Amino acid sequence: MEGNPDNEFCFSVNSHQHHPPAWADRLLNYFCRQDYSDEILGDLHEAFYWRLKEKGPTKAKARFTWEVIKSLRPKNLKSFYHLSLNTMIFRNYLKIAFRTLLKRRSTSFINIFGLSMGAAAFVLIFLYSYQIISFDDHHLNKEKTFLAYKERITPDGVQPTYDTWVPMKDRFLSDYSQVKAAARIYETDSRVIKNNQFIEEDMMYTDESFFDIFSFPILHGNENRIFGDMQSVVISSEMAIKYFQRDNVVGEEMEIFLPDEDTTMRYQVSAVLNKYPENTSYQPSLIIQLESIPVYPEIVNNWNSSFLETYVLLDEKESAVGLEAAFPDLIETLWGADVRNNTNFKLLPFDEYYDTFLGSKDDAYTLLFIGFGILLIAAINFMNLSTAQASQRMKEIGLRKVLGAIRSQLRTQFITEAFVTSLMAIVLGLGMVYFIIPYFNDFFGVSISFGMFSPVQIIGFSIILAIALGILSGSYPAIYLSSMKSIDALQQRMGFGGSVNFRNVLVVLQFSIALFLITSAILIRNQISFMTSKNMGFDSESTITFVASAGDFTDRDQGIVRLNTFKEELKNKSYMSEVAMSRTIPTQWTRSFTFVRPDGWNGDPLRMRYTYVDANFFNTYGIKLKHGAHFLPDSEGNQRESVILNEAAMKAFEFDPNEQNVIKIGDRRINVVGIVEDFNFESLQIEIAPTLIFHRTGDHPVHRFISCKMNMTNLPSRLEEIEDKWNELGSTNDFTYYFMNEQVESLYEAEKRYLGLVTMFSALAIIVACLGLYGLTLFIIEKRRKEISIRKVLGAEISGLLRLIFRDFTKWVVISFVLSVPFVLFFMTDWLEGYHYRIPISWITFAITLALVFLLVLMTVGYQSLRAASSNPVNHLKDE
């Protein structure tokens, strides 16, 4: 056959290019008996080259590796007695370890308690951080999922917005082969009607392809056809139990009032979702197909209004680059060349959803860094205490060496003792965490638990952590103690040599971590205090807001009449001084945008926020007028041709406030009647955005809130009175209200939680560090006991001896302080840059930190130092 010579030639070439994995050869030679390894390797090499010819290099190498591992049977292994792994000897090491712990109870308690606190802090931080770092990881297609969004290029800069158009999904699927699935998401509120009661529930409009992109397991229902028809609803298992007292409710009917549609519809449950992780961006409880809503035929081809999110699932993650490159042509096709020049259409990786909308994973990584720091401090404590107690074990070490113990055996013994201590500390630490978790969750408003991991994972993690901690904390004492000469050990001569420098490095590292944590916690607290106390430009004190809109009523026109009646009744209350209606309120500000330009502006229009208020809104919130006039009273009707700007909008338009200014929305001219001072309607993390404020009376259905300036005395009875009036209106929504000062504070819940975590773990690190200081004091005093005694005999004062002992600590604190400052400046400057309004980093903060650490050193070291300086020198010189 003519093909054979070529095949043989190819094999000859390939056989020279491919060889068995060298590491597998070395592994077998190292562990296998010499008289067996040559024979085994010969057979395996022969089989490798046969498989290379028949099955190719990949399968040949994989099979070779597997055969090597299979050959490492106990009967084929070398003897490793020299490694001190004999089970009898190991049992002896364990006995000695437990006896040593019992013999030195105080030291053992400090070691185990310090390590357990460090382990507990690390596990708590790990559970909290893992929940954030692994956010949305249960979605199998996460890496290939992207959120489509647009960027508007304006004179004020690039403005990203994440709302897209209804027909965008179909355009993706028809024009781009990289897109394997697309889904739209629009989240809103609804009212489930049960026993003639309207119960508010969150609802999601989406497409059936939503379940192809995101991994939400189906508990009951047809996985291949999740929505049976347009009148189908998918609910969570919690929702099923809430309304039907069981989870298998496929086929049951639900009556749902849709406020956005102002209609009530009946849906049949087609599927029930299984319980999904809490660390997920979307947590749907009611899911309805977008195409099922009555207004869908009117918006299916509407490219002029964007209000929903569009996700795409690509064939490969890398396809996103090519897809984005094709978007400019799409923009030009839909809206023309002008829009192409001022609009970018882009894809946001779903990996970045959490950082973009929910929080910052960097904070979780920072907390993990703190956790490792606490663990390291605890390990350093163990090293210092073990070395400090060396003098009490020197005779034991000397006798063991005289009786034939070699260094490796002594090291194994000390590592074993460290492992036993670490394992006990880990078990105790896990017990602490198990007890603390409920209180931790309540206090910080989180939901961490061990339930994120299986029992096998928890046990494996504990063992690995104990081994790592044992090696880390026990290696230095083991090397140091086992390296003593027999004669020095028997005569109890503590020749520390080069180990002193290493110990000093550890101490400086310990202090540096503590200083970094304390300073960072103080700076974070100062920033949050600054934000919560800064004048936001509106009066939140004694201001209460009621959630009230025409959409809360089954008959919207009747709802408008009833809300105006409710508003008038509030105005007539003696304890109400101001009442106003508005579409939005500070802290829950507008997400509506429009394109606007000054009259005579030839450039591209500006994209600005807008909202609607009545004439009394500014008085109610104490927002000051800077130029012009307020809106006319509501009795004059809707002032559609008037607008009030904030200062940011005035600057963006480059208006002269002393002139008559006009803006244009499309061809519509609107007069600027006034300019109000800037007020922070969102967190100080965000710069105040240019905003247009339009007037609408209470007769317009646009308003969603009623705000009141209220006398807060006798509050419970007054709220009860207002609630009774509300219930008489026949609203489908429950009586809901906010205190504005609490709403302002709620803007910083994430920062306060982060501060609480940093402060708690910083305090824990300080406590653990103080245990280390205690151990270090014992070490230094033990080392200089005779020196102190001789100085006392020669007439040294106690104050002079204390200065002698504190000198080293002062030096270490100063060095640690100098080393910690650059890290604080780097990390905290980066953290503060996330806030538009922020505090400066003051030297006073560093001074406070340094003074606090010196005070802790004084309190921790003082007692033992004073005791050593006051002791009778005869007790330590009688053997000389």
Side-chain angles (χ1 to χ4, degrees), residues 417-436:
E417 292 179 8
F419 173 73
V420 170
T421 303
S422 300
L423 187 59
M424 294 175 68
I426 295 297
V427 172
L428 180 59
L430 288 175
M432 290 181 182
V433 172
Y434 185 80
F435 176 76
I436 290 172

Side-chain angles (χ1 to χ4, degrees), residues 826-845:
F826 176 79
F827 283 104
M828 291 310 301
T829 299
D830 182 67
W831 185 79
L832 287 169
E833 283 180 353
Y835 297 88
H836 183 76
Y837 305 94
R838 53 184 178 265
I839 61 169
I841 299 179
S842 171
W843 64 268
I844 298 177
T845 304

Side-chain angles (χ1 to χ4, degrees), residues 792-812:
K792 284 198 70 175
V793 169
L794 296 176
E797 297 289 338
I798 292 179
S799 60
L801 294 174
L802 291 175
R803 283 196 300 272
L804 181 69
I805 296 173
F806 274 102
R807 183 177 59 193
D808 285 341
F809 289 102
T810 302
K811 177 178 66 178
W812 291 329

Side-chain angles (χ1 to χ4, degrees), residues 165-178:
W165 307 266
V166 172
M168 194 72 226
K169 169 206 165 191
D170 294 334
R171 183 58 69 99
F172 272 133
L173 293 172
S174 63
D175 290 8
Y176 304 103
S177 60
Q178 307 99 313

Side-chain angles (χ1 to χ4, degrees), residues 134-152:
S134 64
F135 222 86
D136 291 315
D137 278 358
H138 67 284
H139 294 302
L140 301 180
N141 295 318
K142 179 182 178 183
E143 294 294 322
K144 297 185 290 184
T145 300
F146 294 82
L147 171 66
Y149 73 101
K150 55 185 180 289
E151 289 179 341
R152 301 290 190 187

Side-chain angles (χ1 to χ4, degrees), residues 426-560:
I426 295 297
V427 172
L428 180 59
L430 288 175
M432 290 181 182
V433 172
Y434 185 80
F435 176 76
I436 290 172
I437 276 180
Y439 304 99
F440 183 89
N441 287 340
D442 289 343
F443 188 77
F444 291 109
V446 296
S447 56
I448 64 172
S449 71
F450 285 115
M452 294 185 289
F453 304 96
S454 67
V456 174
Q457 289 175 316
I458 295 173
I459 293 172
F461 173 81
S462 302
I463 293 174
I464 292 172
L465 184 59
I467 292 173
L469 199 55
I471 293 174
L472 177 66
S473 58
S475 57
Y476 171 57
I479 293 171
Y480 163 65
L481 294 173
S482 64
S483 63
M484 288 183 177
K485 295 180 180 179
S486 303
I487 187 67
D488 291 336
L490 289 171
Q491 294 183 359
Q492 300 190 54
R493 290 203 297 265
M494 298 179 67
F496 296 97
S499 65
V500 173
N501 293 329
F502 181 67
R503 173 176 53 78
N504 292 347
V505 170
L506 293 179
V507 174
V508 169
L509 178 61
Q510 189 180 45
F511 275 122
S512 298
I513 295 172
L515 285 160
F516 172 82
L517 293 177
I518 296 171
T519 310
S520 299
I522 293 174
L523 286 171
I524 294 171
R525 180 176 295 278
N526 290 345
Q527 173 65 19
I528 294 176
S529 297
F530 165 74
M531 292 188 296
T532 53
S533 61
K534 183 181 182 295
N535 182 6
M536 298 187 70
F538 66 90
D539 184 12
S540 62
E541 293 300 320
S542 302
T543 305
I544 188 170
T545 299
F546 305 103
V547 179
S549 72
D552 293 337
F553 298 85
T554 53
D555 185 330
R556 189 165 297 195
D557 292 334
Q558 189 63 239
I560 293 174

Side-chain angles (χ1 to χ4, degrees), residues 528 532 536 540-541 587 739-752:
I528 294 176
T532 53
M536 298 187 70
S540 62
E541 293 300 320
T587 72
F739 295 107
M740 286 307 300
N741 56 347
E742 294 180 356
Q743 285 294 102
V744 172
E745 291 182 3
S746 70
L747 291 174
Y748 308 105
E749 284 182 357
E751 286 81 2
K752 289 180 179 179

